[in-house]
Amino acid sequence: MGLKIALAGNPNAGKTSLFNRMTGASQKVGNWGGVTVEIKEGNAKVNDEPVTIIDLPGTYSMSTCSLDEAAARSYLLEEKPDVVIDVIDATNLERHLYLTVQLLELGIRPVLALNMWDEVKTKGIEIDIPLLGKLLGVPIMATDGRKGDGVERLLATAVDFGHQKQTVFENKVQLKLPKEIEKAIDTLSDHVGTFYNGNNPRWIAMQLLEHDKAVEIMFSQIKNDRSVLDLRDTIDKQIASLFGETPEGFIAEARYGFIAGAVKESVKVEVKINRIEFSEKIDSVLTHRFWAYPIFLLFLWLLFQATFKLGQFPMHLIELVFSWLNSIASHSLPAGVIRDLLTDGIIAGIGGVIVFLPNILILFFGISIMEDTGYMARTAFIMDKLMHRIGLHGKSFIPMIMGLGCSVPAIMAARTLESKPDRIKTILLTPLISCSARLPVFVLFAGTFFPNHAGNIVFLFQVVLGFSAFICMAILFKHTLFTNSEDYPFVMELPPYRLPTFRSILIHMWHKTEHYLKKMGGVVLLFSVALWWLGAYPKSRGIEEKYSIEIESIKNDKTMSDDGKKTALVKCENEKHASVMEHTYIGTIGKMLEPLVKPFGTDWRGAVSLATGFVAKEIVVGSMGVLYAAGNDHSDNKQGLRQKLQKVYTPLSAFAFMLFVLLYTPCMVALVTAMRELKDWKWSVFSVSYQLALAWICATAVFQIGTLLRL
Ligand code: GDP
Ligand code: MG
């Protein structure tokens, strides 16, 4: 094993960008905090020496409360990486150095990466790197996480630093604290030393004075001895009566004081363009008290219009390719099992899903632009008030928006929430937001049943209804399950607006495509073949013979006109396929499921498709491709899935079907993720069952009421 190099720093400093540059990975970056909530590892080589790079979630401070921050902290404290690279947004030195100072107090000597160096230059800021390095006692490298400038040097420095193993060093950080507080820290750390045999009792004492939760818990767990905490409380009171302020405030102030001093020495600002002012100007419109909401909806509306309209052209192309493949297969292969497997199973299943790849790409293109420019971070800010009103937290809006892409990272993003009830609620609700895997179903049904309003229908399902369901259920939960949850204040960081790089957008899109294609080659293929097989066997000879006789008799009927014969033959063929299908395994399963879906106007094939959708929502469309295409007359492959659906569904039942797809459990992976994050089987069971119940009730209500109104 080589050196372990960890990237730490505030959210949005560019850690993941540097990580990707170092390891060649393509982890998701985003212009907001809370994108990386898990610890990621990657490998790199420096002069043929293998090293491990670790990307940590963002942390503002070592005294922390949210889960992702705590994960970063315990990694630094317990795993003890060989080198810590502290990534800093160099345009915002004062704030980002806070963590650096804390690291130094802890005895961790980082290598500083002054990231965003490109912006430092355009802003006309001059930073005397050697001087700053001397003041802090650490090596410093300037980097550009987007273009990759300076990354190699940074890595080489980090490796050198790791080999020197300089565990003892002179801490240049001298906090200017009043004598009384220094004394109090000494007293407390002496007492801590009798309980705790770690190597930094002074740091622990300071954490206690700062009321750090994790350290408090550690000491409260020492049985029958609250003396450490009691001593801390006494000190708090003493200092407060002396200065009118607790030590906590003094310590933070002293850190900022030290930083301000260091920055003053080493940084010269000669502002050329004022990025803040520029951002503020845009913000006066985009986060306007009133206009913010319609503008946000307008953006999403445009996005989903584009998803549908622009997606159509490549979609037709892919459809053509697949129908061409189908006709080649059916003409060049002899009739038989292999041909049926290929045409009715594989091509129908995969082709049915892959045509939606362009829509998905467009969706992700839009989302990544919104993320990378910094607009998404604003939306959380805009929605904060609304979220509080429905019993949630402004931070919950980030998972909500991430849910538009995929429920899995969205559920994980709930880790950024500090309070447990908020986290549970967010995990329960996020799956209601329609993820990209549901998009194909909506695009298919909207295009088939509402061709004149397809873009709007897609928008309706993908945004309006999903968000409404989220809000309604949030209100319901607020008044039933979570009546006494607290409100936590939060400061949402507003990153400056940035032009996204083409590279980061490509990384985003590639991520999604990769994910989608993998599903295509994996589960969708598997299910298509399985469904085809279940739909082809057992063969019922009796029925086939009965229909063959009937077909022969129609052909030989002299009394019928040619046209009449044709229609009668088609009808007879269709009846034959339906009848054969009903006696296969899938028919039997479907018939069992049918009573469940009948109330909302879906047939047994729809039921089977929905059931396969538990594995992944992409499979729903693939399954429909196989189930509705089965028994396809090979001379006529032109008739696509659309026409077949039109025979089975009405616009009303199609609407109800889409509603069911929107609301029921997203997929296995999301379910497993939710279980893992909730860490409580009762909540997990609740999450699945309430989503199923909600989906069924809504779809049935719409269908039944619509039928009554003769829609
Ligand atoms: P993390 O939260 O620390 O992992 O930060 P990310 O790597 O996700 O980056 C946050 C944002 O800053 C993204 O929009 C990046 O494209 C952008 N970014 C990262 N490094 C640089 C840089 O050196 N210069 C500029 N201008 N932007 C950067
Ligand atoms: Mg990150």
Side-chain angles (χ1 to χ4, degrees), residues 11-12 14-17 27-30 32 34-37 55-58:
N12 219 24
K15 297 176 295 299
T16 305
S17 303
Q27 287 298 335
K28 188 174 154 104
V29 295
W32 71 40
V35 176
T36 313
V37 290
D55 185 22
L56 297 174

Side-chain angles (χ1 to χ4, degrees), residues 445-457:
F445 276 77
T448 310
F449 294 96
F450 310 92
N452 299 327
H453 306 284
N456 288 328
I457 291 283

Side-chain angles (χ1 to χ4, degrees), residues 89-110:
D89 174 353
T91 63
N92 212 340
L93 270 184
E94 300 221 27
R95 208 194 41 208
H96 284 248
L97 284 175
Y98 193 80
L99 180 71
T100 317
V101 168
Q102 283 189 315
L103 288 175
L104 289 168
E105 284 169 19
L106 235 179
I108 294 175
R109 195 181 184 190

